[in-house]
mmCIF file of all heavy atoms in Angstrom:
data_model
loop_
_atom_site.group_PDB
_atom_site.id
_atom_site.type_symbol
_atom_site.label_atom_id
_atom_site.label_comp_id
_atom_site.label_asym_id
_atom_site.label_seq_id
_atom_site.Cartn_x
_atom_site.Cartn_y
_atom_site.Cartn_z
ATOM 1 N N VAL A 259 8.081 66.044 27.184
ATOM 2 C CA VAL A 259 8.795 65.189 26.229
ATOM 3 C C VAL A 259 7.958 64.977 24.994
ATOM 4 O O VAL A 259 6.723 65.122 25.010
ATOM 5 C CB VAL A 259 9.179 63.836 26.850
ATOM 6 C CG1 VAL A 259 10.195 63.939 27.945
ATOM 7 C CG2 VAL A 259 7.901 63.106 27.288
ATOM 8 N N PRO A 260 8.576 64.591 23.834
ATOM 9 C CA PRO A 260 7.810 64.217 22.641
ATOM 10 C C PRO A 260 6.906 63.020 22.932
ATOM 11 O O PRO A 260 7.167 62.258 23.908
ATOM 12 C CB PRO A 260 8.846 63.886 21.613
ATOM 13 C CG PRO A 260 10.065 64.622 22.065
ATOM 14 C CD PRO A 260 10.026 64.593 23.547
ATOM 15 N N LEU A 261 5.892 62.826 22.155
ATOM 16 C CA LEU A 261 4.901 61.728 22.402
ATOM 17 C C LEU A 261 5.600 60.401 22.402
ATOM 18 O O LEU A 261 5.355 59.531 23.284
ATOM 19 C CB LEU A 261 3.830 61.787 21.340
ATOM 20 C CG LEU A 261 2.784 60.675 21.444
ATOM 21 C CD1 LEU A 261 1.967 60.740 22.720
ATOM 22 C CD2 LEU A 261 1.822 60.689 20.229
ATOM 23 N N LYS A 262 6.508 60.110 21.438
ATOM 24 C CA LYS A 262 7.147 58.802 21.415
ATOM 25 C C LYS A 262 7.968 58.576 22.667
ATOM 26 O O LYS A 262 8.055 57.406 23.169
ATOM 27 C CB LYS A 262 7.996 58.760 20.140
ATOM 28 C CG LYS A 262 7.234 58.533 18.879
ATOM 29 C CD LYS A 262 8.179 58.339 17.671
ATOM 30 C CE LYS A 262 7.369 58.096 16.403
ATOM 31 N NZ LYS A 262 8.226 57.866 15.198
ATOM 32 N N THR A 263 8.619 59.615 23.146
ATOM 33 C CA THR A 263 9.426 59.432 24.395
ATOM 34 C C THR A 263 8.512 59.138 25.603
ATOM 35 O O THR A 263 8.865 58.304 26.462
ATOM 36 C CB THR A 263 10.213 60.720 24.659
ATOM 37 O OG1 THR A 263 11.035 61.063 23.557
ATOM 38 C CG2 THR A 263 11.067 60.581 25.915
ATOM 39 N N LEU A 264 7.347 59.803 25.660
ATOM 40 C CA LEU A 264 6.377 59.563 26.674
ATOM 41 C C LEU A 264 5.863 58.089 26.614
ATOM 42 O O LEU A 264 5.862 57.418 27.669
ATOM 43 C CB LEU A 264 5.210 60.503 26.642
ATOM 44 C CG LEU A 264 4.022 60.231 27.589
ATOM 45 C CD1 LEU A 264 4.536 60.408 29.021
ATOM 46 C CD2 LEU A 264 2.857 61.139 27.288
ATOM 47 N N GLU A 265 5.548 57.621 25.432
ATOM 48 C CA GLU A 265 5.094 56.216 25.270
ATOM 49 C C GLU A 265 6.139 55.242 25.718
ATOM 50 O O GLU A 265 5.851 54.235 26.367
ATOM 51 C CB GLU A 265 4.642 56.020 23.857
ATOM 52 C CG GLU A 265 3.317 56.716 23.450
ATOM 53 C CD GLU A 265 2.985 56.580 22.033
ATOM 54 O OE1 GLU A 265 3.925 56.325 21.210
ATOM 55 O OE2 GLU A 265 1.797 56.706 21.678
ATOM 56 N N SER A 266 7.395 55.502 25.355
ATOM 57 C CA SER A 266 8.510 54.607 25.763
ATOM 58 C C SER A 266 8.652 54.608 27.273
ATOM 59 O O SER A 266 8.882 53.525 27.875
ATOM 60 C CB SER A 266 9.824 55.077 25.130
ATOM 61 O OG SER A 266 9.767 54.925 23.732
ATOM 62 N N PHE A 267 8.480 55.758 27.901
ATOM 63 C CA PHE A 267 8.587 55.834 29.398
ATOM 64 C C PHE A 267 7.489 55.046 29.983
ATOM 65 O O PHE A 267 7.717 54.242 30.943
ATOM 66 C CB PHE A 267 8.493 57.307 29.794
ATOM 67 C CG PHE A 267 8.298 57.493 31.265
ATOM 68 C CD1 PHE A 267 9.389 57.420 32.125
ATOM 69 C CD2 PHE A 267 7.018 57.725 31.797
ATOM 70 C CE1 PHE A 267 9.237 57.590 33.490
ATOM 71 C CE2 PHE A 267 6.891 57.873 33.156
ATOM 72 C CZ PHE A 267 7.938 57.804 34.000
ATOM 73 N N LEU A 268 6.264 55.169 29.505
ATOM 74 C CA LEU A 268 5.111 54.438 30.097
ATOM 75 C C LEU A 268 5.263 52.883 29.900
ATOM 76 O O LEU A 268 4.906 52.184 30.822
ATOM 77 C CB LEU A 268 3.796 54.901 29.408
ATOM 78 C CG LEU A 268 3.402 56.386 29.646
ATOM 79 C CD1 LEU A 268 2.142 56.734 28.865
ATOM 80 C CD2 LEU A 268 3.254 56.665 31.148
ATOM 81 N N ARG A 269 5.784 52.482 28.837
ATOM 82 C CA ARG A 269 5.891 51.070 28.563
ATOM 83 C C ARG A 269 6.940 50.451 29.550
ATOM 84 O O ARG A 269 6.898 49.247 29.870
ATOM 85 C CB ARG A 269 6.349 50.792 27.147
ATOM 86 C CG ARG A 269 5.309 51.130 26.090
ATOM 87 C CD ARG A 269 5.888 51.097 24.721
ATOM 88 N NE ARG A 269 4.963 51.626 23.744
ATOM 89 C CZ ARG A 269 5.351 52.226 22.598
ATOM 90 N NH1 ARG A 269 6.663 52.320 22.308
ATOM 91 N NH2 ARG A 269 4.485 52.718 21.749
ATOM 92 N N ASN A 270 7.848 51.217 30.074
ATOM 93 C CA ASN A 270 8.848 50.740 30.964
ATOM 94 C C ASN A 270 8.436 50.758 32.432
ATOM 95 O O ASN A 270 9.197 50.362 33.320
ATOM 96 C CB ASN A 270 10.192 51.482 30.801
ATOM 97 C CG ASN A 270 10.837 51.231 29.482
ATOM 98 O OD1 ASN A 270 10.728 50.131 28.933
ATOM 99 N ND2 ASN A 270 11.489 52.233 28.894
ATOM 100 N N GLN A 271 7.232 51.314 32.703
ATOM 101 C CA GLN A 271 6.819 51.542 34.070
ATOM 102 C C GLN A 271 6.033 50.403 34.674
ATOM 103 O O GLN A 271 6.104 50.082 35.844
ATOM 104 C CB GLN A 271 6.050 52.885 34.187
ATOM 105 C CG GLN A 271 6.861 54.088 33.944
ATOM 106 C CD GLN A 271 8.007 54.194 34.799
ATOM 107 O OE1 GLN A 271 7.982 54.082 36.081
ATOM 108 N NE2 GLN A 271 9.195 54.350 34.218
ATOM 109 N N ALA A 272 5.240 49.743 33.867
ATOM 110 C CA ALA A 272 4.296 48.696 34.387
ATOM 111 C C ALA A 272 3.939 47.717 33.297
ATOM 112 O O ALA A 272 3.894 48.056 32.151
ATOM 113 C CB ALA A 272 3.088 49.281 34.968
ATOM 114 N N ASP A 273 3.690 46.473 33.740
ATOM 115 C CA ASP A 273 3.304 45.427 32.760
ATOM 116 C C ASP A 273 2.111 45.783 31.981
ATOM 117 O O ASP A 273 1.953 45.419 30.798
ATOM 118 C CB ASP A 273 3.171 44.137 33.498
ATOM 119 C CG ASP A 273 4.461 43.519 33.989
ATOM 120 O OD1 ASP A 273 5.553 43.930 33.419
ATOM 121 O OD2 ASP A 273 4.455 42.711 34.936
ATOM 122 N N ILE A 274 1.108 46.455 32.651
ATOM 123 C CA ILE A 274 -0.139 46.739 31.938
ATOM 124 C C ILE A 274 0.045 47.733 30.819
ATOM 125 O O ILE A 274 -0.869 47.856 29.993
ATOM 126 C CB ILE A 274 -1.213 47.268 32.932
ATOM 127 C CG1 ILE A 274 -0.785 48.599 33.531
ATOM 128 C CG2 ILE A 274 -1.496 46.208 34.052
ATOM 129 C CD1 ILE A 274 -1.905 49.243 34.348
ATOM 130 N N LEU A 275 1.203 48.411 30.741
ATOM 131 C CA LEU A 275 1.413 49.423 29.690
ATOM 132 C C LEU A 275 2.484 48.992 28.713
ATOM 133 O O LEU A 275 2.939 49.848 27.963
ATOM 134 C CB LEU A 275 1.783 50.769 30.342
ATOM 135 C CG LEU A 275 0.803 51.296 31.394
ATOM 136 C CD1 LEU A 275 1.352 52.599 31.988
ATOM 137 C CD2 LEU A 275 -0.582 51.578 30.802
ATOM 138 N N LYS A 276 2.862 47.723 28.677
ATOM 139 C CA LYS A 276 4.001 47.284 27.939
ATOM 140 C C LYS A 276 3.903 47.566 26.438
ATOM 141 O O LYS A 276 4.888 47.786 25.739
ATOM 142 C CB LYS A 276 4.186 45.768 28.101
ATOM 143 C CG LYS A 276 4.854 45.373 29.439
ATOM 144 C CD LYS A 276 6.294 45.940 29.495
ATOM 145 C CE LYS A 276 6.957 45.472 30.795
ATOM 146 N NZ LYS A 276 8.303 46.072 30.945
ATOM 147 N N GLU A 277 2.702 47.611 25.907
ATOM 148 C CA GLU A 277 2.523 47.830 24.457
ATOM 149 C C GLU A 277 1.653 49.079 24.176
ATOM 150 O O GLU A 277 1.065 49.185 23.099
ATOM 151 C CB GLU A 277 1.830 46.616 23.811
ATOM 152 C CG GLU A 277 2.620 45.301 24.055
ATOM 153 C CD GLU A 277 1.846 44.062 23.532
ATOM 154 O OE1 GLU A 277 0.697 44.258 23.055
ATOM 155 O OE2 GLU A 277 2.439 42.973 23.650
ATOM 156 N N MET A 278 1.716 50.023 25.095
ATOM 157 C CA MET A 278 0.812 51.146 24.983
ATOM 158 C C MET A 278 1.163 52.170 23.905
ATOM 159 O O MET A 278 2.328 52.493 23.722
ATOM 160 C CB MET A 278 0.762 51.910 26.323
ATOM 161 C CG MET A 278 -0.209 53.059 26.324
ATOM 162 S SD MET A 278 -0.341 53.910 27.932
ATOM 163 C CE MET A 278 -1.582 55.094 27.577
ATOM 164 N N THR A 279 0.112 52.630 23.175
ATOM 165 C CA THR A 279 0.247 53.796 22.296
ATOM 166 C C THR A 279 -0.877 54.696 22.659
ATOM 167 O O THR A 279 -2.029 54.227 22.874
ATOM 168 C CB THR A 279 0.141 53.400 20.815
ATOM 169 O OG1 THR A 279 -1.018 52.724 20.570
ATOM 170 C CG2 THR A 279 1.366 52.554 20.386
ATOM 171 N N VAL A 280 -0.663 56.011 22.730
ATOM 172 C CA VAL A 280 -1.655 56.974 23.194
ATOM 173 C C VAL A 280 -2.591 57.394 22.038
ATOM 174 O O VAL A 280 -3.827 57.291 22.195
ATOM 175 C CB VAL A 280 -1.000 58.192 23.877
ATOM 176 C CG1 VAL A 280 -2.095 59.143 24.338
ATOM 177 C CG2 VAL A 280 -0.142 57.759 25.008
ATOM 178 N N PHE A 281 -2.022 57.876 20.929
ATOM 179 C CA PHE A 281 -2.807 58.367 19.848
ATOM 180 C C PHE A 281 -2.600 57.556 18.563
ATOM 181 O O PHE A 281 -1.504 57.082 18.317
ATOM 182 C CB PHE A 281 -2.439 59.869 19.544
ATOM 183 C CG PHE A 281 -2.706 60.781 20.655
ATOM 184 C CD1 PHE A 281 -1.703 61.512 21.209
ATOM 185 C CD2 PHE A 281 -4.002 60.928 21.153
ATOM 186 C CE1 PHE A 281 -1.985 62.431 22.291
ATOM 187 C CE2 PHE A 281 -4.284 61.814 22.196
ATOM 188 C CZ PHE A 281 -3.271 62.537 22.710
ATOM 189 N N TYR A 282 -3.647 57.429 17.830
ATOM 190 C CA TYR A 282 -3.595 56.687 16.554
ATOM 191 C C TYR A 282 -2.499 57.291 15.635
ATOM 192 O O TYR A 282 -2.516 58.513 15.351
ATOM 193 C CB TYR A 282 -4.997 56.787 15.876
ATOM 194 C CG TYR A 282 -5.065 56.133 14.516
ATOM 195 C CD1 TYR A 282 -5.086 54.794 14.357
ATOM 196 C CD2 TYR A 282 -5.094 56.902 13.378
ATOM 197 C CE1 TYR A 282 -5.188 54.197 13.090
ATOM 198 C CE2 TYR A 282 -5.153 56.368 12.101
ATOM 199 C CZ TYR A 282 -5.210 54.988 11.966
ATOM 200 O OH TYR A 282 -5.288 54.411 10.710
ATOM 201 N N LYS A 283 -1.586 56.432 15.239
ATOM 202 C CA LYS A 283 -0.494 56.855 14.338
ATOM 203 C C LYS A 283 0.294 58.059 14.892
ATOM 204 O O LYS A 283 0.857 58.820 14.115
ATOM 205 C CB LYS A 283 -0.958 57.118 12.944
ATOM 206 C CG LYS A 283 -1.470 55.829 12.217
ATOM 207 C CD LYS A 283 -1.720 56.098 10.746
ATOM 208 C CE LYS A 283 -2.094 54.766 10.051
ATOM 209 N NZ LYS A 283 -2.342 54.992 8.596
ATOM 210 N N GLY A 284 0.278 58.181 16.211
ATOM 211 C CA GLY A 284 1.107 59.246 16.806
ATOM 212 C C GLY A 284 0.515 60.633 16.680
ATOM 213 O O GLY A 284 1.297 61.610 16.924
ATOM 214 N N CYS A 285 -0.681 60.831 16.168
ATOM 215 C CA CYS A 285 -1.304 62.145 15.936
ATOM 216 C C CYS A 285 -0.705 62.761 14.754
ATOM 217 O O CYS A 285 0.470 63.338 14.736
ATOM 218 C CB CYS A 285 -1.177 63.004 17.192
ATOM 219 S SG CYS A 285 -1.864 64.692 16.932
ATOM 220 N N LEU A 286 -1.427 62.834 13.659
ATOM 221 C CA LEU A 286 -0.973 63.336 12.399
ATOM 222 C C LEU A 286 -1.431 64.829 12.234
ATOM 223 O O LEU A 286 -2.494 65.179 12.575
ATOM 224 C CB LEU A 286 -1.531 62.498 11.236
ATOM 225 C CG LEU A 286 -1.169 61.037 11.245
ATOM 226 C CD1 LEU A 286 -1.872 60.261 10.079
ATOM 227 C CD2 LEU A 286 0.366 60.871 11.094
ATOM 228 N N SER A 287 -0.509 65.613 11.656
ATOM 229 C CA SER A 287 -0.816 67.009 11.462
ATOM 230 C C SER A 287 -1.679 67.236 10.216
ATOM 231 O O SER A 287 -1.334 66.762 9.119
ATOM 232 C CB SER A 287 0.523 67.760 11.282
ATOM 233 O OG SER A 287 0.247 69.113 10.841
#
Side-chain angles (χ1 to χ4, degrees):
V259 293
L261 178 63
K262 288 186 177 180
T263 304
L264 174 63
E265 289 176 335
S266 296
F267 170 81
L268 295 177
R269 292 170 191 152
N270 290 328
Q271 293 305 308
D273 289 339
I274 64 172
L275 305 177
K276 282 297 185 183
E277 301 174 359
M278 183 179 184
T279 57
V280 180
F281 296 121
Y282 176 76
K283 291 189 175 180
C285 179
L286 301 175
S287 169

